[in-house]
Amino acid sequence: MSTEEESNPYELLKLESSATEGEIKSAYRKLSLKVHPDRNPNNPEAARLFHELNQAYELLLDPLRRLALDQKLRVKQAKKERYKAYDAKRKHMVEELEERERAAVKKARMGREEEVRVLSETERIKEEGRRLREMKQAKVDAVKVSVPVREEVEEDENVPPELSPLDTTIRLKWSLKKRPELTTPESIASLLSPFGGVDTEPIVLSLKAPKKSTSNKPKNGTALVPFKQIGDAYDAVCASGEAERGLEDVEVGWVNGKEPEILGWLKKMGKLGAPKPSSPPTPTTNAGTGFSSFPSTFPDLSSTPSLDTSS
């Protein structure tokens, strides 16, 4: 899902940023019926609108990606308010200068005997106004250049990277000799079901024989699997090859060969905990028996401490 201005997920679903999961689902059901391609056969834009609606719906139901989206929108709104304040100061400065010039004109009408004095005063006021205007403009320019640059350098640390539809997709590799049961999308979905929600329809499965083999019998398998939530995909990647999690002899990695940028941002901001443990820890007198891969709420990043990973 893109986070560009023209595709704000909240705006697409006509929701406030504080919308609950129930409100998100309700809004999606209503809007999807209206824009569904089957109900709009004569509208060439229906398919695109329906796809964007689905992308927005899936993003808002993913706590971690929604947290990143909310932070990006907060930063954008803060910039807008700051520049609005600069415009107000500039308007006040212009009004003040215009008032001085009107006062000078009024004095010029006082009579011929004061004409010379008034003209001299007017010139002095104009010169003072010009100097004041230049000084204030210089201050405004300095504020627009130095302050935003300094603040934006600080804000860059909090601004999340662009979100990608592939952020929740993982790649599986295995040997059919060791895992002969993994030959259908259903078997792949069943294997990964302990980690989170997976649909069989979007799974891309490939079973291939070695290039130099004389037999057409496949020996290795690969699959691209999109999770519904990025935290679940992260847990699956962290459990690669672990027999305790059902992934013995199965290599699990990210679809692009590297970790999505959004995960690095979540870790840096303290919003992504450790992956779920492969087995329950031994009870002790100390607190903390597990970890969560994503927060249960969406606190404001500027005032919320790092996520407590104890369950």
Side-chain angles (χ1 to χ4, degrees):
M1 179 74 202
S2 173
T3 54
E4 295 178 0
E5 291 187 11
E6 63 270 16
S7 55
N8 183 323
Y10 292 110
E11 293 178 356
L12 286 173
L13 290 169
K14 300 180 180 179
L15 292 169
E16 298 293 333
S17 60
S18 59
T20 64
E21 181 175 326
E23 291 171 337
I24 294 171
K25 291 181 177 180
S26 177
Y28 171 75
R29 282 194 296 269
K30 292 178 181 178
L31 291 174
S32 62
L33 289 175
K34 292 182 180 180
V35 303
H36 197 285
D38 292 345
R39 291 197 171 193
N40 300 272
N42 297 323
N43 183 0
E45 295 292 315
R48 179 183 62 80
L49 292 174
F50 185 70
H51 175 71
E52 290 183 355
L53 200 65
N54 274 317
Q55 293 285 74
Y57 173 70
E58 292 176 0
L59 190 153
L60 293 183
L61 288 185
D62 185 336
L64 294 180
R65 289 195 290 164
R66 183 178 179 183
L67 183 148
L69 172 67
D70 290 346
Q71 173 64 3
K72 177 160 286 192
L73 294 177
R74 279 195 293 269
V75 171
K76 177 181 175 182
Q77 183 62 29
K79 286 183 179 180
K80 184 184 296 184
E81 292 297 328
R82 186 165 61 250
Y83 284 112
K84 183 179 179 181
Y86 297 155
D87 291 339
K89 290 181 180 179
R90 191 181 299 111
K91 181 180 179 181
H92 176 73
M93 181 182 65
V94 172
E95 290 177 348
E96 181 181 348
L97 292 175
E98 289 178 347
E99 180 62 28
R100 286 175 174 268
E101 291 181 355
R102 283 194 294 269
V105 172
K106 184 177 180 180
K107 288 183 179 181
R109 298 171 181 168
M110 293 174 60
R112 291 180 61 85
E113 65 278 4
E114 298 185 13
E115 184 176 351
V116 174
R117 185 184 64 80
V118 170
L119 288 175
S120 176
E121 182 68 11
T122 299
E123 289 300 321
R124 187 189 67 78
I125 291 175
K126 286 184 177 181
E127 178 61 25
E128 181 182 349
R130 183 190 62 78
R131 185 176 58 84
L132 180 62
R133 183 165 57 249
E134 291 177 351
M135 290 175 59
K136 288 192 174 183
Q137 185 61 47
K139 290 181 180 179
V140 170
D141 291 342
V143 170
K144 288 179 65 178
V145 174
S146 62
V147 175
V149 168
R150 185 171 65 252
E151 292 180 352
E152 286 171 8
V153 169
E154 297 172 357
E155 287 174 355
D156 282 345
E157 299 296 322
N158 295 328
V159 177
E162 293 295 327
L163 302 178
S164 166
L166 297 178
D167 284 345
T168 60
T169 301
I170 63 173
R171 181 193 300 271
L172 276 63
K173 296 181 181 179
W174 68 95
S175 167
L176 288 170
K177 181 178 181 180
K178 296 181 179 180
R179 299 302 297 264
E181 77 280 11
L182 300 179
T183 56
T184 65
E186 288 75 17
S187 62
I188 300 298
S190 177
L191 175 72
L192 297 174
S193 60
F195 297 96
V198 175
D199 292 331
T200 58
E201 184 177 348
I203 292 178
V204 179
L205 177 63
S206 176
L207 304 176
K208 295 182 179 180
K211 292 183 178 179
K212 297 182 179 180
S213 174
T214 58
S215 171
N216 291 327
K217 185 178 180 180
K219 293 188 177 182
N220 299 298
T222 61
L224 303 183
V225 184
F227 275 90
K228 292 183 178 180
Q229 297 193 3
I230 195 171
D232 299 336
Y234 173 67
D235 283 338
V237 172
C238 291
S240 176
E242 293 186 5
E244 297 85 350
R245 306 295 296 276
L247 296 179
E248 183 178 8
D249 298 315
V250 178
E251 179 184 340
V252 185
W254 296 103
V255 66
N256 289 324
K258 62 180 181 179
E259 184 177 273
E261 292 183 1
I262 185 64
L263 280 181
W265 178 84
L266 289 166
K267 292 176 182 178
K268 186 174 183 179
M269 300 305 296
K271 302 302 177 183
L272 185 67
K276 298 174 184 176
S278 58
S279 59
T282 303
T284 64
T285 56
N286 295 328
T289 60
F291 297 92
S292 172
S293 64
F294 55 85
S296 59
T297 58
F298 311 112
D300 183 81
L301 298 178
S302 62
S303 60
T304 304
S306 298
L307 177 65
D308 185 358
T309 56
S310 61
S311 58

